Amino acid sequence: MTRTEEPAPPVVRRIDPADLKSVLGHFCTGVTVITAHDGESPHGFTCQSFVSLSLDPPYVSFSPARTSTSWPRLRASEHLCVNVLAHDQRDVCGTFATSGADKFAGVGWSHAGNGAPALDGVLARVQATVEFEHDAGDHTIVVARVTGLDVLRDVPPLLVYRGGLGIFTAAT
């Protein structure tokens, strides 16, 4: 009988948050603005953690910071609109990334089918309803069921790469 040795347990080392941010900043992400309407006023925030999660059921996910003052207002309405920003919407990105300001001042929008604010000029919109939330360190993982979606423009997206905003143009 051959004796096999147990593998050594993995070494767990502390990861410096600055290193984590630097290395993961090399992964390009799109930029969205997540919006909702509480019946009295619109609310929203810039989000780059948006991802497609499941085709069946149709789920998307995003992760607001636990310190977000906007997310509790959006969560209360349950009906969201994920607005995928186009390359020419850097100003919209900056506006919705600002805390405390009237983020909708000067920004064109209408009500999506679910009542959430649908921003003008975006690439695409995804309407969704919050299904689950999971604590995840300094963020919350939100899982939302897609209830409607549209592509509105055929232009390059607004992207985040290494902390900067830019565009991607597909090779033809």
Side-chain angles (χ1 to χ4, degrees):
M1 183 163 124
T2 306
R3 181 174 174 206
T4 59
E5 293 184 28
E6 291 292 320
V11 175
V12 178
R13 65 182 180 112
R14 183 182 180 286
I15 302 296
D16 183 319
D19 290 342
L20 185 66
K21 188 174 182 178
S22 173
V23 171
L24 295 182
H26 285 78
F27 179 69
C28 187
T29 63
V31 183
T32 65
V33 172
I34 313 287
T35 59
H37 201 286
D38 65 9
E40 293 182 23
S41 59
H43 303 283
F45 65 93
T46 298
C47 181
Q48 72 182 67
S49 64
F50 174 74
V51 296
S52 171
L53 186 61
S54 171
L55 297 176
D56 186 19
Y59 284 147
V60 293
S61 180
F62 60 93
S63 300
R66 291 175 61 99
T67 57
S68 171
T69 57
S70 298
W71 173 237
R73 294 180 188 135
L74 275 75
R75 180 193 315 118
S77 79
E78 296 182 9
H79 301 291
L80 309 172
C81 185
V82 180
N83 298 273
V84 181
L85 298 187
H87 70 96
D88 56 358
Q89 293 186 296
R90 288 176 189 232
D91 57 334
V92 175
C93 174
T95 296
F96 282 89
T98 304
S99 182
D102 179 2
K103 299 176 183 181
F104 286 83
V107 175
W109 65 279
S110 59
H111 289 281
N114 66 359
L119 302 183
D120 293 347
V122 298
L123 284 181
R125 293 186 192 118
V126 178
Q127 297 173 59
T129 303
V130 175
E131 293 254 331
F132 311 104
E133 288 184 69
H134 305 281
D135 287 338
D138 57 3
H139 282 68
T140 299
I141 298 171
V142 178
V143 176
R145 181 181 292 267
V146 175
T147 58
L149 61 169
D150 298 290
V151 173
L152 302 161
R153 293 174 68 192
D154 186 19
V155 297
L158 182 61
L159 302 174
V160 175
Y161 179 71
R162 295 177 60 189
L165 295 172
I167 66 170
F168 169 80
T169 304
T172 55

